[in-house]
Amino acid sequence: MLRKSLSLLTLLALLALVACGGTTTPTAEPAPEATSAPVEEPTEVAAEEPTEEPAEEPTEEPAEAELTLTVWADDTRAPVIEALGAQFTEEYGVGIVVQQVGFGDIRENFTVAAPAGEGPDIIIGAHDWLGELATSGLLAEIDLGDKEADFSPAAVDAFRYDGVLYGLPYAVENVAFFYNKDLIETPPTTWTEVQELAAELEAEGVVQYGYVLQPADAFHFMPIQTAFGGYVFGTNENGYDPTDVGLDSEGSIAAAQWLEGMIADGHLSADLDWDAVHALFETGEAAMMITGPWAVARFKEAGVNYGIANLPGETQESSPFLGVQGFMVSAFSKDPLLAQAFLTEFVATEEAMTQIFASGDRPPAHLAVLEGWKTQTCSPLVRRVSTAGRCPPSPK
């Protein structure tokens, strides 16, 4: 759809022609000076020209300045988008205004602001926002064309809703097993070992809880559920099968029993929320937990000597949910074609994706960037919060 419309370069070329046409008016105005009387005419023209020229230039200049795109991004992503925006503005003359919004507030604020015509042209968020945003008619379809092949198929598919693509992915993420290296030398490899190690650390009075988890959180429970053989939905030749719900499967029940036993034995509290479990780990009152790259900054700030290990298995390997971060275009954007052009022609490039990846520690969705970085700078965090096979095996 985007290719059938004017390309970005064509659009900007037309704008350049308009701008050049506007600059011809000042050159015609000095002519009266040559034909004017030497005393009075130059005085009048000199008074008129400065008045008219600034009046015309500001009306032309703001016309170009008004050609801007507004992006909502959180404090983690805003700096790199601002840098990319500056490059885009320098190269194409289109302004990129980055407004910093808390990640947890972007979706809610967008649903209110977009229909009122006060929202951004582009938001940066998670693929699991699609259900609400797409069904509410708040997102515009994105056509990546041939560039779709440059991205991880799983990442692209995550931004499809009812077969329609609504986002440009840039990073993938999933949870990993974090442990305090000052308290644990060798991380456990099964959930049975987690339970045994937690009991040992608590009995020695080293920690309040050996392992912490927000109990009423299906996202962080998924690695335990799948390790015991449980699942949420079964699959068939068409993908997920909504008629096969695995919450009451043998493996899911076994995982729930493990969790119940941890709480009953005092190794876990049923009253902990997200902030509480992270605070316990940061203060050394908990030795092990499941979390993702979003928690690393606070761990570093707290000075935790943390390690990152593979998620423990049990009857089989653990399989966490995959999260995908990406760019989405507002259906209420005043320049939807320009917004999509910015993404497909400028952001969806190896150079831009490399800059975005370098600003964080999330594995890139762009295949060339992933291939180029995974063997060079694949940090322990990227290794552990990547889906299987994304990074080479850690050295022995």
Side-chain angles (χ1 to χ4, degrees), residues 22-36 45-46 48-54 56:
T23 58
T24 59
T25 50
T27 56
E29 291 186 18
E33 292 189 334
T35 58
S36 313
V45 172
E48 290 175 5
E49 281 198 86
T51 305
E52 290 184 6
E53 285 189 42
E56 290 181 4

Side-chain angles (χ1 to χ4, degrees), residues 39-337:
V39 177
E40 298 184 15
E41 287 271 4
T43 307
E44 286 184 30
V45 172
E48 290 175 5
E49 281 198 86
T51 305
E52 290 184 6
E53 285 189 42
E56 290 181 4
E57 300 246 351
T59 40
E60 300 261 345
E61 284 285 320
E64 287 193 357
E66 285 179 6
L67 191 61
T68 61
L69 295 173
T70 301
V71 182
W72 278 7
D74 67 0
D75 58 350
T76 301
R77 299 155 183 83
V80 67
I81 303 305
E82 288 177 347
L84 288 173
Q87 297 172 32
F88 186 72
T89 300
E90 181 178 355
E91 188 169 349
Y92 296 111
V94 178
I96 302 296
V97 178
V98 180
Q99 296 179 348
Q100 193 173 121
V101 182
F103 190 80
D105 299 324
I106 292 178
R107 174 171 49 172
E108 182 178 353
N109 292 352
F110 179 66
T111 59
V112 176
E118 300 174 352
D121 299 281
I122 298 170
I123 61 172
I124 301 177
H127 79 280
D128 56 9
W129 297 0
L130 287 184
E132 177 184 356
L133 300 183
T135 55
S136 299
L138 300 179
L139 298 179
E141 179 179 355
I142 290 180
D143 181 6
L144 294 180
D146 294 340
K147 290 193 174 181
E148 182 174 321
D150 296 338
F151 294 84
S152 160
V156 174
D157 287 343
F159 274 102
R160 293 191 198 279
Y161 190 83
D162 283 344
V164 178
L165 183 63
Y166 288 107
L168 168 68
Y170 75 85
V172 296
E173 61 187 12
N174 55 264
V175 295
F177 189 82
F178 285 68
Y179 66 100
N180 190 318
K181 295 170 68 174
D182 292 334
L183 305 176
I184 298 174
E185 182 177 349
T186 303
T189 58
T190 67
W191 289 106
T192 296
E193 291 179 5
V194 170
Q195 187 172 18
E196 293 171 349
L197 183 55
E200 180 181 332
L201 292 171
E202 291 162 16
E204 294 174 355
V206 177
V207 294
Q208 181 179 357
Y209 298 106
Y211 173 77
V212 284
L213 174 73
Q214 182 180 345
D217 182 1
F219 181 79
H220 290 87
F221 179 65
M222 184 68 171
I224 304 173
Q225 182 178 357
T226 54
F228 281 86
Y231 62 98
V232 179
F233 291 108
T235 58
N236 54 32
E237 63 278 6
N238 297 320
Y240 285 109
D241 181 3
T243 65
D244 181 8
V245 180
L247 298 180
D248 61 349
S249 64
E250 182 179 347
S252 295
I253 293 174
Q257 290 173 336
W258 178 90
L259 181 63
E260 184 180 30
M262 288 284 287
I263 295 174
D265 293 340
H267 305 315
L268 275 177
S269 170
D271 299 323
L272 298 177
D273 59 15
W274 193 90
D275 281 321
V277 296
H278 285 78
L280 284 167
F281 187 79
E282 290 163 3
T283 57
E285 289 300 316
M288 301 171 282
M289 70 176 298
I290 288 177
T291 191
W294 46 84
V296 169
R298 59 185 291 168
F299 289 169
K300 289 181 177 179
E301 185 177 351
V304 181
N305 184 21
Y306 65 88
I308 307 172
N310 290 328
L311 290 162
E314 192 63 32
T315 62
Q316 63 182 37
E317 290 186 359
S318 173
S319 299
F321 283 118
L322 174 69
V324 184
Q325 303 285 329
F327 298 79
M328 292 166 271
V329 175
S330 170
F332 295 89
S333 169
K334 295 178 181 178
D335 295 294
L337 290 180

